[in-house]
Amino acid sequence: MSEDDLFRALADPTRRAIFEKLAAGSMNASVLREGMAISQPAMSQHLSVLRSAGLVREERQGRFVNYEVDPDGLTHIAQWLSKYRASWPARIDALKALLKDMDQ
Amino acid sequence: MSEDDLFRALADPTRRAIFEKLAAGSMNASVLREGMAISQPAMSQHLSVLRSAGLVREERQGRFVNYEVDPDGLTHIAQWLSKYRASWPARIDALKALLKDMDQ
DNA sequence: TCGATACATAAGCAGATACTTATATGATTC
DNA sequence: GAATCATATAAGTATCTGCTTATGTATCGA
């Protein structure tokens, strides 16, 4: 769940696509795979990477394993981003203020 | 300047360290290299990656090339993050609202 | 214009990554 | 308990990545 794991996990377009699909609603690995040109082991491996990055979490339900977005990963990215708020353009002033709230 | 470029650039710890150093204030490649166990070509290559990701921008000043954080890259990440605000924990409610502002 | 300085590019290479096929594990149904 | 289904793991491989050394380019000062 390091920053390394996080950004590395998101560096792959297939994994971002998987994550995006999961963000629309939790589902198991098989359903997740529908419509994606990817083998079953590849999906399993990607999910494992996303999981150890803290972006996704799983829950076994009988034969199936249900996956959902893990807020921890997103929170970690937000915290990383907030470190650089001094470098943000003025346009996003509102975001600056919001991130300030987050500190507390 | 794609999401691919962005996350891939940030996936490397050395590049994140460079970016972090630049966030503290703009400087040229030589100064940037001070204290980092990294060769001159390696630094140049990392800066090139950060640049084409939109995270950093350069400005030649005589013999030196000054580098600074490019807000575009950070903004892009913030926008990517904002896509998933539905998945954020309630704790970060304030951030949700702030990101909402950003949409307009 | 010659040497030095700051940086970029080229080429090569070791290690990492994302995929594949094959097989194992775990759970359900008959 | 045997067959089946959902998923994970193993092992192999082509490609990518980040580094190195060597060299090129641009700017400066003497």
Side-chain angles (χ1 to χ4, degrees), chain B residues 47-64:
Chain B
L47 286 169
S48 172
V49 171
L50 287 168
R51 188 180 180 279
S52 52
L55 284 162
V56 145
R57 59 189 176 197
E58 63 184 62
E59 184 187 2
R60 183 165 270 273
Q61 276 169 4
R63 253 189 306 200
F64 300 82

Side-chain angles (χ1 to χ4, degrees), chain B residues 5 11 13 22 27 32 59 61 64 67-68 73 79-80 83 89 93 99 101-102 104:
Chain B
D5 293 335
L22 273 182
M27 62 191 87
L32 204 43
E59 184 187 2
Q61 276 169 4
F64 300 82
Y67 283 91
E68 65 181 353
Q79 282 166 349
W80 180 88
K83 286 197 297 183
D93 251 347
L99 289 165
D101 278 352
M102 241 179 76
Q104 301 151 10

Side-chain angles (χ1 to χ4, degrees), chain A residues 80-89 92 95, chain B residues 6 10 19 23 53-55 69-80 102:
Chain A
W80 181 89
L81 247 191
S82 74
K83 286 198 298 183
Y84 304 108
R85 55 169 172 266
S87 305
W88 288 50
I92 316 202
L95 187 48
Chain B
L6 252 182
L10 292 170
F19 183 78
L55 284 162
V69 168
D70 186 342
D72 285 358
L74 292 171
T75 302
H76 197 141
I77 296 180
Q79 282 166 349
W80 180 88
M102 241 179 76

Side-chain angles (χ1 to χ4, degrees), chain B residues 9-37:
Chain B
L10 292 170
D12 184 77
T14 305
R15 276 194 295 266
R16 285 202 309 281
I18 293 170
F19 183 78
E20 186 153 2
K21 213 166 171 185
L22 273 182
S26 69
M27 62 191 87
N28 62 56
S30 295
V31 175
L32 204 43
R33 195 156 82 87
E34 283 169 14
M36 304 194 75

Side-chain angles (χ1 to χ4, degrees), chain A residues 4 7-8 10-11 13 16 20 23 69 71 74-75 78 80-81 83-84 87-89 92 94-95 97-99 101-102, chain B residues 4 7-8 10-11 13 16 20 23 69 71 74-75 78 81 83-84 87-89 92 94-99 102:
Chain A
D4 237 273
F7 286 116
R8 209 188 300 257
L10 293 171
R16 285 203 309 283
E20 187 153 1
V69 168
L74 292 171
T75 302
W80 181 89
L81 247 191
K83 286 198 298 183
Y84 304 108
S87 305
W88 288 50
I92 316 202
L95 187 48
L98 202 46
L99 288 166
D101 279 351
M102 241 178 75
Chain B
D4 235 275
F7 287 117
R8 209 189 300 259
L10 292 170
R16 285 202 309 281
E20 186 153 2
V69 168
L74 292 171
T75 302
L81 246 190
K83 286 197 297 183
Y84 305 107
S87 307
W88 289 51
I92 314 199
L95 187 48
K96 281 192 199 175
L98 201 48
L99 289 165
M102 241 179 76

Side-chain angles (χ1 to χ4, degrees), chain A residues 37-86:
Chain A
I38 194 182
S39 71
Q40 178 270 315
M43 173 60 80
S44 182
Q45 285 158 16
H46 280 311
L47 286 169
S48 172
V49 171
L50 287 167
R51 187 180 181 280
S52 52
L55 283 161
V56 144
R57 61 190 174 195
E58 65 183 60
E59 184 188 0
R60 185 166 268 275
Q61 276 169 3
R63 252 189 307 200
F64 300 82
V65 179
N66 213 265
Y67 283 91
E68 66 181 351
V69 168
D70 186 342
D72 285 358
L74 292 171
T75 302
H76 197 142
I77 295 180
Q79 282 166 350
W80 181 89
L81 247 191
S82 74
K83 286 198 298 183
Y84 304 108
R85 55 169 172 266

